[in-house]
Amino acid sequence: MTKLAKPPGQKLVKRMSTRTKGLIVAPLGLLLLSAGLCVFSLAAQARQDGATFQQWFLRGAYSLILINGGLLLFGQAIRYRAQLDYRRFVRRELKKRDREWSRNRQKRKTSPNKGEA
């Protein structure tokens, strides 16, 4: 079987840092969500004005697609942020342990042994 070509932007996205991905995805999610809400209000207004079923239904379906897409993107941005926070926490804890271990080693080296005196 032949390998399928990867999409052109896939390598670019893989090389991006988690922080960059989060900074890009969060505003896009909010933008899609707000656009979906605007289209939803237009669909509701069209229904109130007596437009045909097909007109307001298609607008409503399109608005739900935009709203759900925005929520998904914003949820992904929250996930990226949680990954960043967890990594920061782990790094701090590891640094703290390293400092404690180095202090304990120095104390052992500098303290006189009780049995040798």
Side-chain angles (χ1 to χ4, degrees):
M1 288 182 76
T2 60
K3 286 189 174 183
L4 296 175
K6 292 184 178 180
Q10 190 172 8
K11 287 182 183 178
L12 177 69
V13 172
K14 274 191 169 186
R15 283 185 276 159
M16 278 186 195
S17 70
T18 306
R19 180 180 173 88
T20 305
K21 289 177 192 175
L23 289 174
I24 291 172
V25 172
L28 285 177
L30 290 175
L31 185 68
L32 272 179
L33 179 65
S34 58
L37 291 174
C38 289
V39 173
F40 186 74
S41 68
L42 289 175
Q45 185 65 36
R47 183 171 185 218
Q48 290 295 324
D49 291 343
T52 63
F53 173 79
Q54 186 178 7
Q55 285 178 337
W56 66 261
F57 180 79
L58 290 177
R59 284 183 186 169
Y62 179 62
S63 73
L64 289 176
I65 291 170
L66 290 175
I67 290 170
N68 288 328
L71 287 174
L72 287 173
L73 285 177
F74 193 71
Q76 186 67 33
I78 291 172
R79 192 169 159 221
Y80 287 140
R81 183 62 191 194
Q83 286 177 350
L84 285 173
D85 290 344
Y86 180 72
R87 288 177 188 164
R88 184 179 301 145
F89 172 75
V90 169
R91 283 189 201 117
R92 285 181 183 166
E93 290 298 315
L94 289 175
K95 284 181 184 179
K96 195 184 298 183
R97 286 183 188 172
D98 286 344
R99 279 182 271 163
E100 289 174 4
W101 285 346
S102 63
R103 286 180 196 156
N104 289 339
R105 286 181 187 166
Q106 287 175 357
K107 286 180 183 178
R108 288 182 199 158
K109 289 180 181 178
T110 58
S111 64
N113 291 340
K114 295 178 183 177
E116 293 180 9

